[in-house]
Amino acid sequence: MVVPSPQTTSYPLTATNASGNVSAPVMVTVVPVAPTPPPVISSFTASPSAIAPGQSTMLSWNVTGATTVSINGAGFSGAGSTLIAPAQTTTYVLTATNGAATVIAQAVVTVGAAPPPAPVINSFSAGPSTLSIGQSATLSWHPSGATSVSING
């Protein structure tokens, strides 16, 4: 076995016997190896990124050039998605590794109180609903779930 030097080298072989000797060279060309580029994380998202307790969200990612891909230590493939339901606000760390480098990306899922339901106008009326100039009407309303009410006009 020949371990070539870091350059192109000629190795001569000489065979000898009583009748003489003969030589033949062989050339070994060393080609520099291009370095392996680091993996590329083209996307890593949580959708939605804010949820109420008990709700779930989708982590999605796309990675190229990695030999291993993991999210918070769990192994995955280069592209995909997974449904998660964290109990508290969590930072997810995607790690992509190959022989050249390790790169990371983060996605934060915020777990908070559920937003209140939208307000409802249960009733809104004018009495009387038809007026003559100079007359007045009484407006009556009954909303629920509202923090404020305004009437314009």
Side-chain angles (χ1 to χ4, degrees):
M1 179 172 157
V2 172
V3 177
S5 65
Q7 59 195 19
T8 300
T9 305
S10 175
Y11 293 94
L13 174 68
T14 303
T16 307
N17 68 14
S19 298
N21 56 32
V22 65
S23 292
V26 68
M27 188 71 69
V28 175
T29 302
V30 178
V31 178
V33 177
T36 302
V40 174
I41 300 171
S42 49
S43 65
F44 183 45
T45 59
S47 182
S49 61
I51 59 173
Q55 290 183 328
S56 58
T57 184
M58 184 71 68
L59 288 179
S60 301
W61 64 93
N62 191 359
V63 177
T64 56
T67 53
T68 62
V69 175
S70 65
I71 299 173
N72 288 18
F76 290 97
S77 66
S81 60
T82 188
L83 190 63
I84 56 167
Q88 62 192 21
T89 297
T90 305
T91 299
Y92 291 91
V93 179
L94 182 141
T95 305
T97 304
N98 67 13
T102 297
V103 293
I104 64 168
Q106 296 182 345
V108 177
V109 177
T110 303
V111 179
V120 174
I121 298 174
N122 298 306
S123 64
F124 184 38
S125 61
S129 60
T130 303
L131 304 172
S132 296
I133 293 177
Q135 291 182 317
S136 62
T138 302
L139 300 178
S140 301
W141 59 90
H142 179 69
S144 59
T147 57
S148 68
V149 177
S150 66
I151 299 174
N152 296 324

